[in-house]
Amino acid sequence: MMGLLVTVSAVSAQAVSPTEAMTAGNQSYEAGNYAQAVEIYETMVAAGIQDSTLYYNLGNAYFKQGQLGKAILNYRRAYRLDPRDVDNNVNLALARSQALDKLDTANDGAVTNFVKAAEDWLTLDEASMLALGLWLLLCGLAIVAILLPRFRQVSLWAMAVVGLFLIVGLISIANRLYNDYAYPPAVVVAEQVSVMSGPGGADQYVVEFDLHTGAEVTQLESHDNWRRVSLPGHDFQGWISADALELVNPN
């Protein structure tokens, strides 16, 4: 036990490398000391380390502790950095299945679903690099169409296809950036919280309904220590205490 405490102190003082800190956290987790693992992983996060594996491990440690909201929060943070991680996706689905509040998303149109599929497959950085590559390819095809008339018809058709994918990519990127700024996703981490009709307690406003740990919401507005949130796929919205939720994007 003393060795583990020394390890946490060293991590806090940044006296060890991220690899050593991760190893120490993993050893604590494997030994069943989940609180110690959480402390080490959270210290790494507080030091500014953003890594999908780190968030995945932190989600697992919280899940083992029965802290469902924190587990879903960190699985979603891992998903932002690596949406194709099968293990993380499986654990996220498992954690969501245990949440009391089952909030279904709306069934949108084909274009919206196509954009959503792109977001589920690529990170924001990957989507940006792909958009840049498509733009350069589009410019190359335009040059071919101008300089080589015999390939003009083929080039124009290729430009149409590449242009379509480029537009979808740009819509996806713009949608992510806008939502992260204006309507950031968040997760309820309190065991239970009352959703109020205004930014205040029950002595000022009406209790609309309750949310439980692990509920995934969208933050619409901030006012002092209160946050107005909405529920995906529903018209329900209201105000909850700021310390009852955490944003998926910690930046």
Side-chain angles (χ1 to χ4, degrees):
M1 176 63 71
M2 183 60 68
L4 291 177
L5 292 176
V6 171
T7 300
V8 174
S9 299
V11 172
S12 300
Q14 297 182 340
V16 298
S17 68
T19 300
E20 292 172 328
M22 182 74 83
T23 299
N26 294 347
Q27 289 174 345
S28 296
Y29 179 89
E30 292 167 2
N33 196 340
Y34 305 122
Q36 189 75 57
V38 164
E39 187 174 356
I40 294 174
Y41 295 144
E42 286 285 15
T43 301
M44 296 175 66
V45 171
I49 299 174
Q50 291 198 37
D51 178 78
S52 61
T53 301
L54 172 59
Y55 285 128
Y56 170 71
N57 290 346
L58 182 55
N60 286 341
Y62 274 124
F63 188 82
K64 288 291 188 178
Q65 286 188 303
Q67 298 190 48
L68 193 61
K70 291 279 192 175
I72 291 177
L73 172 69
N74 284 283
Y75 288 145
R76 288 199 59 181
R77 286 176 173 175
Y79 179 85
R80 279 178 56 87
L81 299 176
D82 187 1
R84 300 183 297 278
D85 187 322
V86 175
D87 291 335
N88 184 72
N89 292 342
V90 168
N91 286 11
L92 175 57
L94 175 62
R96 281 172 166 168
S97 71
Q98 297 186 16
L100 292 179
D101 302 309
K102 308 297 183 184
L103 307 177
D104 299 325
T105 56
N107 185 18
D108 300 312
V111 174
T112 301
N113 289 333
F114 189 36
V115 172
K116 181 65 168 57
E119 294 177 0
D120 288 342
W121 183 251
L122 299 172
T123 66
L124 183 59
D125 288 342
E126 290 171 342
S128 300
M129 291 300 296
L130 178 59
L132 177 60
L134 290 174
W135 169 251
L136 293 175
L137 178 58
L138 192 65
C139 292
L141 290 170
I143 293 174
V144 171
I146 294 172
L147 299 180
L148 301 174
R150 67 175 180 272
F151 295 115
R152 181 168 299 162
Q153 192 66 29
V154 175
S155 297
L156 291 176
W157 278 105
M159 287 175 64
V161 174
V162 172
L164 175 62
F165 280 101
L166 178 58
I167 291 172
V168 171
L170 292 176
I171 292 175
S172 174
I173 293 170
N175 182 60
R176 290 196 223 188
L177 292 174
Y178 176 74
N179 286 335
D180 278 351
Y181 175 77
Y183 306 110
V187 177
V188 173
V189 295
E191 283 301 313
Q192 181 173 328
V193 59
S194 295
V195 181
M196 313 303 298
S197 60
D203 57 331
Q204 297 176 280
Y205 297 97
V206 175
V207 177
E208 299 285 356
F209 53 92
D210 290 333
L211 286 176
H212 305 84
T213 186
E216 298 172 67
V217 299
T218 299
Q219 180 174 298
L220 303 177
E221 185 180 351
S222 298
H223 181 76
D224 294 333
N225 293 323
W226 294 86
R227 304 290 183 265
R228 186 165 68 94
V229 300
S230 67
L231 310 184
H234 299 268
D235 294 329
F236 303 137
Q237 61 176 262
W239 295 82
I240 66 176
S241 176
D243 58 7
L245 82 166
E246 289 191 38
L247 297 179
V248 173
N249 185 2
N251 296 327

